[in-house]
Amino acid sequence: MKNEIEAKTVGLMPYEKYCLTVKEASEYFEIGEKKIRELSKTHMDDGIFVMHGVKLLILRPNFEKFLGQTPEI
């Protein structure tokens, strides 16, 4: 049973993922988790953040584009 679960687990690097958790995004983009959560409150309707139940997910390609267009965060 454990081997089946391990076989199904895909270990992707953050740059390979489409959606990142707040912790993954914080580490990948070197931005604090608190700042990412603040950005999500002001940019929730911009197609950068999505909610999966109660979990906040960051759409990596959209967030990268947002950061490229934003002079300061």
Side-chain angles (χ1 to χ4, degrees):
M1 176 84 170
K2 185 176 179 182
N3 290 335
E4 291 176 22
I5 294 171
E6 289 176 9
K8 291 180 182 180
T9 303
V10 178
L12 297 175
M13 298 301 292
Y15 62 85
E16 297 173 311
K17 294 182 178 183
Y18 185 73
C19 293
L20 301 173
T21 64
V22 173
K23 182 175 180 160
E24 290 172 331
S26 175
E27 292 172 0
Y28 183 68
F29 293 107
E30 297 181 358
I31 300 172
E33 291 181 28
K34 184 177 178 181
K35 185 62 177 184
I36 291 174
R37 290 187 188 282
E38 287 174 9
L39 288 170
S40 74
K41 290 178 184 175
T42 57
H43 297 281
M44 185 56 86
D45 297 328
D46 294 346
I48 302 168
F49 302 96
V50 294
M51 295 298 294
H52 179 67
V54 296
K55 184 188 281 188
L56 176 66
L57 296 175
I58 296 89
L59 302 176
R60 184 193 47 76
N62 299 0
F63 195 59
E64 286 175 350
K65 185 177 178 181
F66 168 76
L67 290 176
Q69 296 173 346
T70 304
E72 80 177 36
I73 55 170

